[in-house]
Amino acid sequence: MDASLSSLILETKSMRLDIAGFQTRVKGLEHRMGSLETQMTTYRDRDQDLLYLRSKLTDLEDRSRRDNIRLLGIPEHEEGTDMQAFLGSVLPKLTSLDFDPPLEFQRAHRVGPKRSDTSLRPRPIIACLLRHNHARQILQTARKQGPFRIGQHDIRITADYSKDTNERRKAFLALRPRLRQMGMKFGLFDPARMWVTINSISKDFYNPDELSLFLDSFQHQPMDSTNPDCSQDTGRENEGGGPLPPGPEKEGPLHHDTTSIKGAGTQRG
């Protein structure tokens, strides 16, 4: 009897030691989990800071390009040896604009290495105008009247955007087939803002992913086919020619909100 009791006491002490060890390990794990959660919060904050800084840099780069225009389709060597003189002569003829004072350029050049093969697509030309109002006049005319013609070649004149903005614009444009299929009115505005109207509800989107989610939410919902807002397809990108779709403005600021690169759509009723 005494031997059995002693054995039970020893086993109980051993179990208490094991429990104490487990409690110590749990406390250690809880401390580590707390430390990891703190680090994750710090990393999330840093990630948000990086996204904000990236959006600010994109905004600054877009603003630094506001006086630029891009000319697409002009054959190689058409400019001769003086690009600025060539553009100063050809742009008034293409756009039928009377520039006073005359066009002046800070710089103008083709993008990319020289090409000896004339069968390849000609390199774009980027021109930085001395006066911002001249750049605006040219782009506004190009949106209304373009594309233009030089001989047998179609010439498009567009704005010049940063890499991030161009990528967002391309992502928005890739959604156009879905928008048309769903009967939505839409328009792409400067620099990368998609305006969408369905069932008399208008929304602005600065993020293509948010627009895609918005379309998914409408995919299986019935739409009012008698509503004129949903019976026409007037949307097109506002560069390179053709009328702009109806919207709150034909030319917006580069960014309404420099943090909007991260955000969702903004509803307008």
Side-chain angles (χ1 to χ4, degrees):
M1 183 69 179
D2 291 340
S4 298
L5 182 60
S6 298
S7 176
L8 182 59
I9 292 173
L10 290 174
E11 289 180 4
T12 302
K13 289 182 178 180
S14 177
M15 291 177 63
R16 288 178 178 175
L17 290 174
D18 290 340
I19 292 172
F22 289 145
Q23 289 175 338
T24 302
R25 293 176 62 184
V26 168
K27 289 180 180 179
L29 289 173
E30 289 176 346
H31 177 74
R32 292 176 61 185
M33 286 296 295
S35 178
L36 289 173
E37 288 176 354
T38 301
Q39 291 181 23
M40 287 296 294
T41 301
T42 301
Y43 291 146
R44 280 194 294 266
D45 292 341
R46 289 179 180 176
D47 187 54
Q48 291 297 317
D49 290 342
L50 289 174
L51 288 174
Y52 174 74
L53 290 175
R54 180 177 177 177
S55 69
K56 292 286 286 185
L57 288 173
T58 298
D59 180 66
L60 289 172
E61 185 176 352
D62 283 330
R63 290 179 184 276
S64 72
R65 295 170 181 251
R66 290 172 64 184
D67 299 334
N68 292 2
I69 59 174
R70 292 174 68 94
L71 296 95
L72 312 175
I74 294 180
E76 294 280 342
H77 313 301
E78 186 81 12
E79 67 274 15
T81 58
D82 192 337
M83 177 68 79
Q84 293 189 23
F86 168 74
L87 294 179
S89 172
V90 76
L91 282 172
K93 297 176 183 177
L94 289 177
T95 60
S96 300
L97 292 173
D98 183 18
F99 296 101
D100 184 24
L103 288 177
E104 294 183 81
F105 302 90
Q106 298 185 51
R107 55 192 174 276
H109 58 86
R110 288 191 184 267
V111 179
K114 292 183 178 181
R115 296 174 180 174
S116 57
D117 188 351
T118 57
S119 65
L120 297 175
R121 180 184 300 178
R123 294 171 295 162
I125 294 173
I126 293 183
C128 180
L129 286 91
L130 181 63
R131 298 175 181 86
H132 176 64
N133 64 312
H134 285 169
R136 288 178 58 87
Q137 285 180 285
I138 293 170
L139 291 173
Q140 287 172 354
T141 302
R143 289 163 183 161
K144 295 176 181 178
Q145 302 178 12
F148 306 101
R149 299 280 291 183
I150 292 182
Q152 301 299 316
H153 304 280
D154 286 335
I155 309 301
R156 296 180 66 236
I157 302 176
T158 71
D160 183 37
Y161 301 108
S162 64
K163 180 180 178 181
D164 281 354
T165 298
N166 268 324
E167 289 176 352
R168 283 193 293 145
R169 289 177 67 85
K170 289 178 180 178
F172 275 129
L173 294 176
L175 294 171
R176 287 186 301 179
R178 290 186 64 188
L179 290 164
R180 292 192 181 106
Q181 184 180 15
M182 298 175 68
M184 294 187 180
K185 282 185 172 182
F186 61 91
L188 180 59
F189 294 88
D190 289 337
R193 173 173 65 90
M194 183 68 87
W195 168 84
V196 175
T197 294
I198 182 170
N199 294 341
S200 300
I201 299 175
S202 296
K203 292 175 73 72
D204 283 330
F205 293 91
Y206 296 87
N207 188 318
D209 293 334
E210 294 291 339
L211 175 55
S212 182
L213 291 174
F214 175 76
L215 297 181
D216 290 341
S217 69
F218 272 90
Q219 195 72 44
H220 303 293
Q221 294 185 18
M223 294 190 299
D224 183 2
S225 59
T226 63
N227 190 325
D229 284 343
C230 299
S231 61
Q232 303 178 42
D233 177 12
T234 58
R236 63 177 296 164
E237 57 187 302
N238 65 337
E239 62 173 38
L244 284 168
E249 57 188 359
K250 290 191 176 181
E251 285 201 17
L254 280 173
H255 284 288
H256 294 286
D257 180 357
T258 56
T259 62
S260 61
I261 190 172
K262 303 177 289 184
T266 303
Q267 182 168 330
R268 299 197 310 273

